[in-house]
Amino acid sequence: MQAILSCQQMPKICVTDKTIKLWKVTERDKKPEGYNLKDEEGKLKDLSTVTSLQVPVLKPMDLMVEVSPRRIFANGHTYHVNSISVNSDCETYMSADDLRINLWHLAITDRSFNIVDIKPANMEDLTEVITASEFHPHHCNLFVYSSSKGSLRLCDMRASALCDKHFKLFEEPEDPCSRSFFSEIISSVSDVKFSHSGRYMLARDYLTVKVWDLNMETKPIEIYQVHDYLRSKLCSLYENDCIFDKFECAWNGSDSVIMTGAYNNFFRMFDRNTKRDVTLEASRESSKPRAILKPRRVCLGGKRKKDDISVDSLDFTKKILHTAWHPTENIIAIAATNNLYIFQDKMNSGMH
């Protein structure tokens, strides 16, 4: 399941397989007491026992988060939905599967408008699939979608109703000398995110995370190695299907730090200004209140420090695929297997 906050002070949209749902999320830290017609348990009183009137009052209580379903957007996709993105107009959103991208209105549940369709007449001619999509944070007519061939296509909905033809293509030329059997697999983009400023795009493939400038299509302006130590283990990762894992990426509020997941419940942070990077671990031990995360390091072999972990000891069943960063505060959410971790503030002061 994927979830995204639609707009500030608006409900959440989530998707399970092919069905998209709109939820209202509310918080309560006060409760009313002193009802005239109800008792403390909320049951109606016998009206014959009510002899006087009183003014109900609000009293503090423990914070309670309530979630309630609002709308269901079904029958819009033939294949599993891989991404959803709410537009900056706060009225529409788009959803993407392997072959199509649909545009929805938040108030209309029974129909959508197809804006991208890459399905060939003969499925045997299919050469790539859509892997992710996102609206531009400020311009409601612009959106980007990524493909399994490692390309990013920027589209403008003002140009035509069906945006099969992009107006910008971001694609890094491949070095023929370094091509291998795994080249196309590891170059597939699993996630793409616009920066909050709207000037840059963040794209995650299997081994790296790249920053693209919207004004330069030829090559990314920054490339960060997430777990380059796995390059020698691609054969075994292919055999256990881990090479097909889809990792997400995220910007911090000022676009100065980027974050993405890895294996062994590790997640990586890269400071774009200082070029420093850090590996942190999401575990039950580190999730205790006020616990400070200690940097971890993966060692390829030979001598290693006490807290270092060998690349051969990595647990590939523990993986952080989903990450999210609060838009204005230093709060991050990390999804590791069946656990959701939330870290705040002094998690790693050197990276903020």
Side-chain angles (χ1 to χ4, degrees):
M1 185 182 77
Q2 296 182 357
I4 185 170
L5 186 62
S6 58
C7 275
Q8 194 174 19
Q9 298 181 339
M10 285 191 68
K12 279 184 180 292
I13 291 181
C14 75
V15 55
T16 303
D17 294 335
K18 305 172 188 176
T19 302
I20 303 167
K21 298 180 180 180
L22 181 71
W23 299 78
K24 183 177 181 180
V25 183
T26 57
E27 295 180 349
R28 284 198 301 153
D29 58 1
K30 295 181 177 62
K31 62 179 179 180
E33 290 186 0
Y35 282 111
N36 290 287
L37 304 180
K38 295 180 181 179
D39 58 21
E40 296 300 328
E41 297 179 355
K43 297 180 181 179
L44 288 174
K45 297 179 180 178
D46 183 355
L47 297 182
S48 62
T49 64
V50 179
T51 58
S52 61
L53 296 177
Q54 58 184 348
V55 179
V57 295
L58 292 175
K59 292 190 175 181
M61 59 175 284
D62 292 337
L63 179 65
M64 179 181 295
V65 180
E66 297 177 334
V67 181
S68 56
R70 282 294 181 259
R71 298 186 183 93
I72 296 178
F73 304 85
N75 305 319
H77 290 274
T78 305
Y79 306 95
H80 294 303
V81 177
N82 57 45
S83 58
I84 49 178
S85 177
V86 177
N87 204 344
S88 58
D89 61 13
C90 291
E91 294 183 356
T92 58
Y93 74 92
M94 67 178 175
S95 57
D97 61 27
D98 286 352
L99 301 178
R100 293 187 176 95
I101 300 177
N102 292 336
L103 180 67
W104 302 78
H105 194 283
L106 287 166
I108 302 174
T109 62
D110 58 352
R111 62 184 181 274
S112 60
F113 188 78
N114 181 234
I115 55 176
V116 174
D117 188 348
I118 66 169
K119 184 178 181 180
N122 186 350
M123 286 297 285
E124 293 181 357
D125 298 329
L126 184 67
T127 59
E128 63 180 334
V129 296
I130 299 169
T131 56
S133 63
E134 188 179 56
F135 270 118
H136 191 278
H138 308 305
H139 303 296
C140 60
N141 55 291
L142 298 179
F143 69 93
V144 65
Y145 70 92
S146 57
S147 83
S148 57
K149 280 193 171 182
S151 61
L152 305 175
R153 292 177 172 88
L154 189 64
C155 301
D156 189 342
M157 290 191 295
R158 296 173 302 182
S160 62
L162 192 62
C163 301
D164 286 349
K165 293 183 179 179
H166 54 272
F167 81 94
K168 282 193 177 183
L169 175 65
F170 302 84
E171 191 172 43
E172 190 176 15
E174 184 183 10
D175 183 2
C177 299
S178 61
R179 181 169 178 79
S180 69
F181 172 79
F182 305 108
S183 295
E184 187 169 328
I185 300 175
I186 64 175
S187 66
S188 175
V189 176
S190 57
D191 192 24
V192 58
K193 291 286 195 306
F194 278 106
S195 63
H196 295 86
S197 67
R199 171 69 182 273
Y200 305 103
M201 294 185 298
L202 189 63
R204 171 68 202 267
D205 57 37
Y206 190 68
L207 294 178
T208 69
V209 60
K210 301 173 181 177
V211 177
W212 292 84
D213 189 323
L214 262 64
N215 296 324
M216 188 169 74
E217 303 172 58
T218 54
K219 62 180 180 179
I221 59 172
E222 299 164 26
I223 300 178
Y224 301 95
Q225 301 294 333
V226 179
H227 39 209
D228 197 51
Y229 46 78
L230 296 181
R231 196 174 293 275
S232 61
K233 296 185 173 294
L234 294 180
C235 285
S236 58
L237 292 167
Y238 178 80
E239 291 173 357
N240 62 19
D241 286 340
C242 284
I243 200 171
F244 301 104
D245 287 334
K246 308 298 183 184
F247 294 93
E248 294 179 358
C249 52
W251 299 88
N252 73 335
S254 62
D255 298 332
S256 61
V257 181
I258 57 181
M259 173 179 62
T260 190
Y263 292 106
N264 209 73
N265 280 0
F266 289 165
F267 60 99
R268 302 268 283 142
M269 287 186 171
F270 304 91
D271 190 310
R272 299 181 59 212
N273 297 324
T274 65
K275 303 305 177 185
R276 293 174 57 193
D277 64 90
V278 66
T279 300
L280 302 171
E281 181 181 7
S283 63
R284 290 186 178 274
E285 291 74 22
S286 63
S287 64
K288 296 178 182 178
R290 300 184 183 277
I292 298 177
L293 296 183
K294 296 180 179 180
R296 302 300 304 272
R297 194 172 76 95
V298 179
C299 182
L300 289 174
K303 294 183 180 181
R304 64 176 187 264
K305 297 180 181 179
K306 179 182 177 181
D307 294 330
D308 289 354
I309 182 171
S310 170
V311 66
D312 297 318
S313 302
L314 294 175
D315 189 345
F316 293 103
T317 64
K318 295 179 179 179
K319 59 193 77 174
I320 293 179
L321 302 179
H322 307 292
T323 56
W325 206 314
H326 192 281
T328 57
E329 300 179 25
N330 279 331
I331 301 175
I332 61 173
I334 305 292
T337 317
N338 295 325
N339 300 309
L340 176 64
Y341 298 92
I342 297 179
F343 301 107
Q344 182 176 10
D345 282 336
K346 296 181 180 179
M347 177 183 56
N348 185 15
S349 59
M351 295 296 295
H352 296 90

